[in-house]
Amino acid sequence: MKRSFTFYVSGVKDNDAGVMRYIRKQKVYKNIPCLFFKLCYTAPYQNFQSIREFQCETKYRPFSGKSNQKKALVVMDVAEWIGKENEEYFEIFFKFLHDYHTTFYQFEYMFTVADADREKIKGLYKMISQYLGEGKIAEDRTLTDVKEMSEYLMDRYPVDRIPAERLASIFCHKGMKGLSQLDAIMMDLMEYIHPGEREKVTESRLLSHYKSLENSNFGILYEEELKKWKQETEKNRERGEAA
């Protein structure tokens, strides 16, 4: 049986929301059951329980999703093993996974590594590929790339391109811990702007709520950026009127 796996790399510690978004975007994972599992680090000569824990998690089909699917996706957090991938327990676990199966599902595996980058996961990747076959790295740059974040904001919220790009620039520069934090700030922001059901939030509409936004989470966390944004917009308008 041909095996494969995916390493999901986002550069941020809070991966869960990003992983779920990535899974939803992949046709190959459409409607298949999914389970999250954390492979905790166990020091040498300590009681290694991870194999038993994994069997308990998967044996009785505790997966979300359609029960008639023959495949299942296991999303496994292996961040605690970075730099320790050559230890015996780590290799033992993947020797076990190589042969593991149940009567219910054929497993596919996706690994998350918190905020580790490509360089840090090389050892993990090498060890896992020995037992699970060909792997690929899926880099999610939604929280680190202005273009990708602005696309995310426009897809998820009624925001026009110009304010989406400006917001994304602010968020990427300051840094986000995860999509859950980004969404919390954006949902609070929308509450203060009150966009209509079919109305896009333009730059002028957003900044027309400046006084109100000062009291929002966005206004509190990004006070200087919001003030600078408004000042630049006013200067540009004045130049346009003077011309």
Side-chain angles (χ1 to χ4, degrees):
M1 180 178 65
K2 185 178 179 181
R3 293 177 177 274
S4 64
F5 62 92
T6 300
F7 254 107
Y8 173 84
V9 179
S10 67
V12 295
K13 289 185 178 181
D14 180 7
N15 277 319
D16 287 358
V19 167
M20 292 307 299
R21 179 169 178 259
Y22 174 80
I23 291 171
R24 286 194 294 269
K25 290 170 64 177
Q26 306 304 307
K27 291 182 180 179
V28 67
Y29 296 136
K30 187 176 181 181
N31 296 325
I32 76 170
C34 179
L35 170 74
F36 282 76
F37 180 79
K38 183 178 179 65
L39 184 62
C40 297
Y41 174 70
T42 304
Y45 308 110
Q46 300 299 309
N47 190 12
F48 185 54
Q49 294 289 325
S50 294
I51 290 177
R52 181 183 295 275
E53 291 169 358
F54 185 79
Q55 286 176 308
C56 290
E57 288 287 329
T58 57
K59 187 174 181 180
Y60 301 108
R61 303 171 68 180
F63 291 81
S64 60
K66 294 186 177 181
S67 59
N68 62 349
Q69 294 290 320
K70 292 183 179 180
K71 289 185 178 182
L73 175 66
V74 175
V75 180
M76 189 177 301
D77 181 350
V78 293
E80 291 187 7
W81 290 90
I82 293 174
K84 306 177 182 72
E85 56 273 354
N86 290 320
E87 292 188 12
E88 186 177 13
Y89 285 151
F90 191 73
E91 185 171 10
I92 287 173
F93 185 82
F94 284 94
K95 284 181 177 179
F96 155 75
L97 280 194
H98 176 271
D99 297 321
Y100 182 65
H101 66 277
T102 71
T103 57
F104 302 119
Y105 295 121
Q106 174 186 329
F107 295 114
E108 295 190 9
Y109 297 98
M110 180 183 295
F111 300 100
T112 66
V113 284
D115 55 353
D117 57 22
R118 276 177 174 260
E119 189 64 29
K120 289 182 179 179
I121 69 169
K122 281 183 177 179
L124 295 172
Y125 185 95
K126 184 178 179 181
M127 177 62 75
I128 294 173
S129 65
Q130 291 183 38
Y131 299 100
L132 297 186
E134 182 180 353
K136 70 174 183 178
I137 297 176
E139 289 193 86
D140 187 341
R141 301 190 300 160
T142 304
L143 294 172
T144 56
D145 182 87
V146 172
K147 184 177 183 297
E148 292 201 20
M149 186 184 287
S150 62
E151 294 292 336
Y152 173 81
L153 294 178
M154 288 187 292
D155 180 59
R156 191 168 177 83
Y157 301 97
V159 184
D160 208 4
R161 180 168 294 278
I162 292 176
E165 290 177 348
R166 187 60 182 255
L167 288 167
S169 178
I170 292 170
F171 293 145
C172 286
H173 177 69
K174 289 292 185 176
M176 281 281 170
K177 293 180 179 179
L179 287 177
S180 56
Q181 182 188 16
L182 174 61
D183 287 332
I185 291 174
M186 284 301 298
M187 285 187 285
D188 182 70
L189 185 69
M190 291 297 109
E191 285 293 317
Y192 281 86
I193 300 174
H194 300 296
E197 192 171 320
R198 298 183 179 179
E199 184 179 9
K200 290 281 188 180
V201 175
T202 61
E203 181 179 50
S204 59
R205 178 173 174 79
L206 186 147
L207 293 177
S208 69
H209 291 73
Y210 179 80
K211 286 295 181 184
S212 177
L213 287 178
E214 286 182 310
N215 298 316
S216 69
N217 288 332
F218 176 77
I220 294 169
L221 293 171
Y222 306 100
E223 180 181 1
E224 292 302 316
E225 289 79 5
L226 179 60
K227 186 183 299 183
K228 181 180 178 181
W229 187 356
K230 183 172 176 59
Q231 290 171 348
E232 289 177 358
T233 304
E234 289 175 345
K235 286 181 181 179
N236 290 336
R237 187 177 66 246
E238 290 171 0
R239 291 194 193 101
E241 291 173 352

